[in-house]
Structures are given as C-alpha cells and as structure tokens.
Amino acid sequence: MSGTTALLPFRPTDMSPAQLAAVSYLVRYSGHTHRLYAFQLRRWFAWCEDHGLDPLQGIQRAHIELYVRQLGDSGLMDSSVVTMMHAVRGFFRFAHIDGLIVSDPAVYARLPKVHRDESRTQGLDRLELIRFLQVAQTLTVHHGALAFLLGINALRASEAAAVRIEDYAETLRGHRVLHLIGKGNKPATMPITVPVLRVLEACRGQRTTGPLILRPVSGNPIDRRDAYRMVARIAKVAGIPRHISPHSLRHAAITNALDAGVPLRDAQILARHADPRTTEHYDRARGNLDRHGVHFLTAYVAGV
C-alpha cells in the first residue's frame, strides 16, 4: 500500500472517497504498469482540481469527454489519448463495482478511434535479425544473451532483465526450459534451444546463482532502461539505420517465426499473447506488402 500511495499526491491517512478509490485500484498492479497508471490518475486528479471538480463524486460523461478533448488538444496522438484513459476508465469501473458511485460515467465516454490492424513497430527481417544476433555476441557476452532472449525467445525488456541463472536450470521432457514471470504476473515456461543456451551459458560463466545479464562495466544487474541502451548500441554497430528497441526484437521474433511457417496458434504461444487477435496484428503487418493483392492483379493484367 505504501508503494501505491507514494505515487499519488496524498497520504494514506484521512483519504477522501476519490483517493481511497484510486489507492484500491492501483494496488492491483505492480512495476511499470503501476507507475504508468498512477501517472494517468495524477493527471486526471490535477485536471479535476483545475476545474473545481471532485475526481470521483458528481462526475458525468460530459466531464470525461471534455478531459479526453483536453488530452487531444495538448498534442497527444489518438493512440496516446486512448492509453492515457486506461487508468481513468478502470478507476471509475472499480469505484462503481465497489459501490462508491451509483453509475460509471466513463463506460460510454467517446474515445478517439484507433485502428490497430497493423503493428507499427519497426522490426527486423531475417537477415537483419541474423546480423543483430551475430554483432551482439562480438560486443560482450551480456549483449549476446540479451539479444537472443529478445530476438529468439521474444521476451520483453523487463522480462529479459529479470532472468536469473536459476530460472533456466531445469530440464523438462528433454528440453532445457526457462521459467519466467511475464506481463500481468503470469508465469510462463518456454524451451531454450541449443544456440540460445550456448549464449546464456557464456554469459553465466562460473556463476551459479543470481541475475544473468549484468552491466558490462559495473557488473550490476541490468534494468529495462539498460536493455534499451544495449539494444541501441547493438543496432548501431550492426549498421541498422533506424531506431531499434527491445520491442523491435520481440516483434522480429514473432514475425520471423511466422515467416518460417510457424502456425498462428504456436506463434501466439511464443509471444504469450492472451488474445490471438494481438498475434494477428503481427501477421498482417508482415504480409500486407509482400502478399498484397496488387501484386497478383498486376501480374494478371500484365499482358494488357
């Protein structure tokens, strides 16, 4: 509870109903999601204070839509506006469930329409992924381990940073496996192929316990921000002339798996997507140019 309240502009004692609702909502989350949602609620509380409104009591749908309009007018893209409303909508939904308000004013509030049929993340094609993995190993064993966990096992930055040596010590049904806690605190187990295991073992060295990937200079465990910096360095040395993030490597793992013939259902398991439609976004993004109907139509009428 103290971690939750520290991120909000009030103390746990003498809380108003709005503050209590915010704390009870945020306590459901941890880590990056917790910090993000706390920031979103702080912004909502500040907007209400500027307009003489209680953040919870007496709020109507019109107030929510005015706030949405203000977010857009502040320069946020439509997708960012929708993201900024995640915690606000959850805040009112659970306040209604808990009986703190008689109705949810946010449930029918209009949000910008965002078309999510394609992933806009800049991934890597097969040759770029191969070069990225090769270059990573020439920098340090820690860069190599990070690159393979992101680009082959499709881990998120925070997941790769959290991998411990003990997490991949077990063998199940002849497969060396990695145990991890993923997004939403969901446990997952995935196999480690021989090339990946070889890179992880090189990173481990003589150590038998503790965080796997360390900062090459200080020897301290990396965090997600270190992962971003390490990926950017690998991309620069590899000569990839665009911004590459850890999610670009995760994106590359999923799309290249699909290109290799992995069925969509198995790609969903690799990505650990709860909703298969999320994986389908990657499938459409990979095929909308190479398999576009205009190629077939051009060939069909080429003799005209």
Side-chain angles (χ1 to χ4, degrees):
M1 184 70 73
S2 60
T4 298
T5 54
L7 293 171
L8 291 169
F10 44 78
R11 298 181 180 279
T13 57
D14 195 28
M15 289 190 293
S16 69
Q19 294 166 344
L20 177 62
V23 170
S24 62
Y25 172 68
L26 288 174
V27 78
R28 299 163 50 87
Y29 302 99
S30 61
H32 176 68
T33 303
H34 182 283
R35 292 188 291 273
L36 175 63
Y37 284 2
F39 166 74
Q40 294 173 0
L41 286 186
R42 281 200 303 269
R43 188 159 180 171
W44 165 249
F45 272 64
W47 183 86
C48 289
E49 183 177 358
D50 290 344
H51 291 81
L53 298 169
D54 183 276
L56 180 65
Q57 305 290 346
I59 294 296
Q60 301 178 22
R61 179 177 55 83
H63 295 129
I64 303 292
E65 294 190 349
L66 285 171
Y67 178 65
V68 170
R69 174 68 63 85
Q70 186 272 331
L71 290 174
D73 291 344
S74 70
L76 293 180
M77 295 188 301
D78 288 348
S79 58
S80 298
V81 171
V82 172
T83 299
M84 283 294 296
M85 289 300 296
H86 284 173
V88 177
R89 289 164 65 90
F91 166 70
F92 282 107
R93 182 172 65 253
F94 280 93
H96 181 218
I97 291 172
D98 293 340
L100 298 176
I101 51 178
V102 296
S103 63
D104 180 354
V107 66
Y108 293 117
R110 179 181 296 227
L111 298 179
K113 290 185 178 180
V114 179
H115 300 285
R116 301 186 180 276
D117 283 344
E118 299 178 6
S119 171
R120 297 189 179 276
T121 299
Q122 289 291 317
L124 291 79
D125 62 28
R126 175 175 175 268
L127 294 179
E128 288 175 328
L129 179 59
I130 292 172
R131 186 164 74 253
F132 188 96
L133 297 175
Q134 290 174 339
V135 168
Q137 296 177 81
T138 67
L139 296 178
T140 70
V141 292
H142 305 283
H143 285 81
L146 176 65
F148 274 75
L149 288 174
L150 297 173
I152 299 296
N153 282 69
L155 266 60
R156 299 174 177 90
S158 57
E159 295 168 347
V163 169
R164 298 178 61 85
I165 294 170
E166 306 95 297
D167 295 339
Y168 68 94
E170 187 177 3
T171 299
L172 294 177
R173 295 198 298 272
H175 298 282
R176 192 74 170 267
V177 295
L178 170 66
H179 298 288
L180 67 145
I181 302 297
K183 188 176 181 180
N185 289 323
K186 294 179 181 178
T189 300
M190 55 182 10
I192 300 177
T193 57
V194 172
V196 177
L197 179 60
R198 186 181 301 119
V199 173
L200 299 189
E201 288 292 89
C203 183
R204 176 179 72 88
Q206 300 300 314
R207 295 177 293 138
T208 57
T209 60
L212 175 64
I213 306 175
L214 306 177
R215 296 172 182 167
V217 176
S218 68
N220 295 324
I222 68 167
D223 57 25
R224 62 190 304 272
R225 287 173 294 186
D226 294 316
Y228 275 80
R229 286 191 287 266
M230 292 168 73
V231 165
R233 184 187 175 197
I234 298 168
K236 182 178 180 180
V237 177
I240 299 174
R242 60 183 184 279
H243 174 69
I244 298 297
S245 69
H247 188 68
S248 303
L249 271 294
R250 175 173 163 81
H251 184 282
I254 299 167
T255 55
N256 279 281
L258 291 166
D259 284 339
V262 174
L264 190 62
R265 171 58 180 166
D266 292 334
Q268 179 190 348
I269 294 173
L270 166 66
R272 289 168 289 120
H273 289 148
D275 190 333
R277 290 174 296 183
T278 306
T279 315
E280 289 173 358
H281 296 160
Y282 291 82
D283 192 28
R284 282 193 287 270
R286 114 186 197 273
N288 61 358
L289 296 179
D290 295 338
R291 299 178 295 176
H292 199 285
V294 70
H295 298 302
F296 297 92
L297 178 58
T298 301
Y300 183 71
V301 301
V304 175

